[in-house]
Each structure stands twice: as structure tokens, then as C-alpha cells.
Amino acid sequence: MGAFLNPVYAQVLEPATGQIQMAGAARVATAKTVHTTANLNLRSRPSPAGKKLALIPKNTRLTVTSTKSGWSQVRYAGKTGWSSSAYLRAVPKASPKAVKRGDLGKTTAELWLRQQANTGSKALVTLPKNGIYTVKKTSKGFSQIASRGETGWVQSKYLKIVAKKPGREIYIDKKYTSNRDGLTDRFWTKVSTGKLHESVNGKVRIGDIPRNSVVYRNLLMEKTAGSVKGWMFVQTQGMSGWMKTNQLARKSTATTKPVNYSARTVLAQKNGKVAQKMLAAIGWDKEKTLIAAPALKDLNRLNAAFKKKFGRNLDVDLAYRTRATQDAYWVDLGPYIAARPGTSNHGWGTAIDTPETYHYSFRGKYHKWLKMNSKKYNWVHRKILEEGSPYAEAWHFDYVGK
Ligand SMILES: [Zn+2]
């Protein structure tokens, strides 16, 4: 009882009545990290009669290692002892973190994507349950996402965060694999179009990915989103989604031989809808990236010269892009980075992007060499993309051969 009478300890509290003890005990039982709500005695035993070991100031953060009838075992100032649970409050667990820009959210229900951040605004498209989307922005309980070329809003409470915003992407030139997320489990699509889904129910298709497009399995995403038999979560050309396992192969079957079509024939195709037979794979590229068949021969020659100079193959990030991929880029990156859908040479497979690594940047040795030498092989870096232009892009080269 001394503690109550000693003026120094006037504010030091012991367990009060049974009621409060129980409440305190209940609170503490489930919490590991707590803070003191008052100056509090640390005692040698779980009893007011236990020897005083220390005085723990109010608002001290402690870890509870054990509890016993209204008392909690904690360690403070190098001493392990017991304090009244009634004056320990659980430190709230970092509450299910709010959705933030850059997070990956999974829809927990079928939803409308709405034009504005309110439930009364115009519905744009439906989103399937278990669809996975990148949050572009947030506003008062709503998250902005994009689906099938539409950008709109959903209530954040229907998004379960499956991955927090990744840190800054790191591009290491030497270890470059063409895959920005460091994924190495590579597959190629066995089917022609439209098999990348926002959810495993297959209701919503993200895009038309041509046959023999490389995709990377993201196992971590599968785990966090909840893996489903017969489906894989994959990333391809800046998009991600679910694909049926039986539509994927371990090898590309695309030809790596120049096929006999003129550039003019390919350019007469609808942008982003080039016939399969007019596309060829870059044979020395790890991803067997697809390109307009008539551009392949000159690219092979350019690569041979590059290899002679630098002792390595040219790195190609992207060449042919379908219309759906272009739409996705447009929505994601905007007009200064992405070309207006239907206008880019990527849509005919007559453009390549090198990686955005240092050596391929304006100051880099690969870019400088390519800019000087690619013309000989009918590949050019256009003036509008030069440094200083609002469209500056070191990595884009166009094919200008016949
Ligand atoms: Zn490009």
C-alpha cells in the first residue's frame, strides 16, 4: 500500500477493482506491444505485494511476454517484472493500411468503375471480382484505377491490397534481363489473342497479346492474391493479369528467319493488328521479342555490328505492340511517354525500344554508338526524340527500310 501514500508515487497506479483488471487483461492478452497509460510500478511478482523494481513512466512502449490474472510481464530498464494490465493499452496495429498510390489492389466484389470519385457518377465498365489493379491516385475513400482503356474510380474499401507500391525500379545494366521486375520464370503464349485476364473467372480480357509473346510468371503475386489451379499470374509488356497455364509454353515457336514481306505490306496492316505471319522473333534476344518480319534482317545486321563493338547483343525491350498494349500504355504513361494509340511504329513492329539503362541513355555509350551507326542498317533515332525535346526518348529507334 506504500505506493499509494508516498507522494512521489502519487500517480503510480496498481490494479484497481476486478472489473478493470479484467478489462485490462482482455486488452493485453491479444496484444504484444503496449504502452503505459499512467506512471506504473514494475513489480517482482504479479501482485501489489511484489517488490518494486522500477517506475515505468506514462506512455512507455513495452512488450508483454506473459499475462497472469490482471498482470502483464514486461521488461523495462533492464529488469523483467510485472505491471498492472489495467494501465497497459495495446498499441494499435498499423491499421490495415490505407490504399496508396502505386499499390496493387484486388477487387473483393464485382464493381463499377466510375467516372468520378463518388458512387453516383457515371459507370464506365464493370470490374470483375478478384481483378488486380494498380492504384493511380486516391481521393476520400476512392481509388483511381484503369481498366480496358478507361480510367475511373472505385471505392477503396472494395480493394484488398495485395502488394504495396514497389520501391524505385532498379535497372542494373549488366544483369539486364528485359524484365524490370527481376522475374525469370519465362513462358510464351501459345494462343493468338486476348487471353490475359484481370481475374481468373476469365470474364474480362485485358488485351490481345500475340502468340509467342513472352510473359513472366509472378509467383509472389499469385501467392498474395491467392493462387488458383490452372492459372498463372503473369506480367507482359507492362501489363499483368491471369492466364490459363495451358495457354503458355516454355518455348517460343515464332520464326527467327526473315520472312518475305516488304515493310510496305506490313505498314498496310492495321496498326496493332499485324497478321501473325508478318511477325518474326529476334533470335538472339532472350525474350524472342516479336518484330515486323521485314525489319529483322537489318536488325540482325545492326546487332552484329553492335556485338563486334561491345561484345554483347543489343538489348531490346519492346518491339511489336498490339493495339491493346498501346491503349494500356497510353492510359498508364500519358502523351509525353506513350505514343497516341494507333500511331506508333511499334504497332507495326517497325520500332524497337532499348532498355532505359544508363548506357542506353543520352549520355550512354550504347546510345551514342547506335545514334551514329544505326542509319547504315536502316534504323534511325528521330530528331523529335532528341534530348531537350518534350518527347525526349533515348531508347526508341524506328525502322526506315523497305
Ligand atoms: Zn518506342
Side-chain angles (χ1 to χ4, degrees), residues 321 346 353 393 396:
R321 268 177 214 160
H346 286 292
D353 286 348
E393 226 183 82
H396 180 101

Side-chain angles (χ1 to χ4, degrees), residues 318-319 321 337 344 346 351-354 385 393 395-398:
L318 250 179
R321 268 177 214 160
I337 298 177
S344 164
H346 286 292
I352 57 162
D353 286 348
T354 62
L385 302 180
E393 226 183 82
W395 54 86
H396 180 101
F397 289 81
D398 287 301

